[in-house]
Amino acid sequence: MSEEMHDLDATALLAAGRLEVQRIVVPELGGAVYIRSLSGYEFEEYEKALARQQDDVINARARLLVMCLCDAKGALQFGPADIKKIGQLPAAVVLRLFMACRKLNKLD
């Protein structure tokens, strides 16, 4: 049985557009972190950054992590200046978190 969907006006659409936050266990670090979904604008910024780096996609994964790693309330924990630092985490950690961010943002 499917639910009846109602029409959303502009106010309802913007009010409903909350970003999703997920807790991700990182066994390699013995703890957990939070990631959040990207807004439409942030997704465009990520794509634009990748396009600028067509031949040099170093730290593409770290760039996405910086845009998704957050606290439990969804506040970002890092900024563009942290991309290189995030890229220096163990590859297994970067890959685990990158894959989680891709899945959350339906980038698969």
Side-chain angles (χ1 to χ4, degrees):
M1 182 185 289
S2 65
E3 292 182 31
E4 178 90 19
M5 296 294 205
H6 61 281
D7 295 337
L8 300 173
D9 63 13
T11 302
L13 175 66
L14 294 175
R18 290 186 213 100
L19 301 177
E20 183 179 347
V21 175
Q22 286 184 356
R23 184 174 185 265
I24 306 297
V25 174
V26 186
E28 298 88 350
L29 300 179
V33 298
Y34 290 90
I35 61 171
R36 70 167 177 80
S37 57
L38 298 172
S39 68
Y41 177 80
E42 290 167 333
F43 177 69
E44 296 283 336
E45 287 293 312
Y46 179 67
E47 282 191 322
K48 187 167 63 173
L50 293 182
R52 283 193 307 262
Q53 298 178 328
Q54 281 179 337
D55 298 325
D56 181 18
V57 290
I58 293 175
N59 283 330
R61 290 177 181 90
R63 181 176 302 281
L64 182 61
L65 296 185
V66 163
M67 297 178 80
C68 293
L69 286 165
C70 64
D71 64 16
K73 294 181 180 180
L76 291 176
Q77 297 295 292
F78 300 97
D82 299 309
I83 292 170
K84 189 171 183 177
K85 293 175 193 170
I86 295 295
Q88 292 172 342
L89 289 170
V93 172
V94 171
L95 188 57
R96 176 183 300 280
L97 295 174
F98 176 74
M99 297 304 290
C101 291
R102 283 185 55 86
K103 183 176 179 182
L104 177 61
N105 286 287
K106 298 179 179 31
L107 301 177
D108 295 338

